[in-house]
Amino acid sequence: MKSKWHEIWNRRTATKDTLTGDWQKIFLELKRLNGFDLREGGIPLSSLLAQYERTKDLLRLSAGQSVFEVGCGAGANLYLMQRDGIIVGGMDYSLSLVDTARCVLPDARELSCGAADAFDTTQTYDAVFANSVFSYFSDTDYAHRVLTLMLEKSRGAIGLLDLHDREKKQAFHDYSVATIPNYTERYKGLDKLFYSRTFFEDFAQRNGLRVAFPSIDVPGYWNTPFVFHCFMYRK
């Protein structure tokens, strides 16, 4: 992970009063902590819930099954999955966010803090996924190591959401410059990693997996035009 991003995520903390009460309020606070408040006031709740249902379907998850999230942050996605009777586990490199996840996921099978290319694979899950995480990796070698661990950790599907599209890199930059004051200076040293679909197709082929790039509609999410999603399944 890029060190400047690490510093940013470690500064994100929650107060106890924001993690009690209505489950929708708690979920939105967890999403805010995970960085989905950074532009244009966040994403509508209805869009986030629709994204969750679509993701759960693509991961082929139902009550009684299990899921592990790489880069779980404050545990927003796992919070909804736990509510649906799914056994959850996760890891993140921000200790402050993992501490928050532990508050809202007391029954999690495991929640650890560390690097995404070094998490333990002893316990396996029905599915493993990462949401808006791969763009913060330093390079594709790091991403390949993470994918290898995800494959070891999963007995079924692997899901990767919000992968920044290499073909949309210039468009992303132009949009950011146009919408964020002093973007170049404010985001100096905070570049994102952009991917080609070929990178994931090659990984899938080498490991005997079927790969798909499904659409996930999230109305109101500014990032949608610049990302794609990848899901891999054992044949």
Side-chain angles (χ1 to χ4, degrees):
M1 285 278 194
K2 299 175 181 179
S3 60
K4 287 192 176 182
W5 282 118
H6 192 192
E7 294 171 10
I8 290 172
W9 296 120
N10 267 318
R11 290 198 297 265
R12 295 209 147 212
T13 58
T15 57
K16 287 188 177 180
D17 63 320
T18 63
L19 300 178
T20 58
D22 179 74
W23 71 267
Q24 294 180 344
K25 176 182 75 71
I26 295 171
F27 171 65
L28 286 174
E29 172 62 6
L30 297 175
K31 275 292 186 181
R32 183 193 71 80
L33 290 168
N34 283 358
F36 288 89
D37 63 330
L38 296 181
R39 304 191 194 187
E40 301 177 4
I43 308 168
L45 174 62
S46 58
S47 296
L48 291 171
L49 295 179
Q51 178 193 46
Y52 162 70
E53 291 295 340
R54 174 73 166 145
T55 301
K56 185 175 66 170
D57 181 61
L58 288 167
L59 290 173
R60 301 174 176 176
L61 288 170
S62 58
Q65 293 184 302
S66 60
V67 66
F68 184 88
E69 183 175 9
V70 176
C72 65
N77 299 313
L78 298 180
Y79 179 72
L80 293 186
M81 290 180 174
Q82 183 175 256
R83 282 178 53 83
D84 280 343
I86 297 168
I87 300 164
V88 302
M91 62 75 54
D92 198 272
Y93 74 158
S94 167
L95 181 57
S96 63
L97 293 181
V98 171
D99 284 343
T100 297
R102 287 169 177 155
C103 289
V104 297
L105 302 169
D107 298 322
R109 179 183 288 175
E110 57 179 324
L111 284 171
S112 62
C113 180
D117 67 340
F119 61 85
D120 182 72
T121 60
T122 303
Q123 296 191 73
T124 60
Y125 292 73
D126 292 307
V128 176
F129 76 109
N131 183 5
S132 297
V133 170
F134 271 57
S135 294
Y136 297 100
F137 292 165
S138 56
D139 51 47
T140 54
D141 286 341
Y142 190 102
H144 185 273
R145 294 197 299 272
V146 178
L147 277 173
T148 300
L149 291 179
M150 293 177 75
L151 181 59
E152 293 176 9
K153 192 80 170 172
S154 172
R155 297 188 294 267
I158 296 172
L160 307 169
L161 284 74
D162 287 2
L163 298 162
H164 276 81
D165 191 340
R166 182 180 294 174
E167 295 182 1
K168 307 293 181 60
K169 186 174 183 177
Q170 187 61 49
F172 174 86
H173 178 267
D174 293 344
Y175 176 85
S176 298
V177 169
T179 57
I180 301 177
N182 303 316
Y183 171 79
T184 302
E185 186 62 30
R186 288 176 62 186
Y187 282 80
K188 185 177 182 179
L190 294 173
D191 296 331
K192 285 184 166 57
L193 182 62
F194 288 74
Y195 295 88
S196 68
R197 287 168 176 76
T198 303
F199 172 77
F200 301 99
E201 290 171 338
D202 289 346
F203 179 87
Q205 183 177 22
R206 287 194 300 270
N207 290 281
L209 305 172
R210 181 174 66 84
V211 64
F213 300 99
S215 63
I216 301 179
D217 189 26
V218 189
Y221 184 24
W222 69 270
N223 207 27
T224 296
F226 313 111
V227 299
F228 64 92
H229 318 285
C230 177
F231 284 73
M232 302 182 196
Y233 305 95
R234 285 174 166 79
K235 294 179 180 179

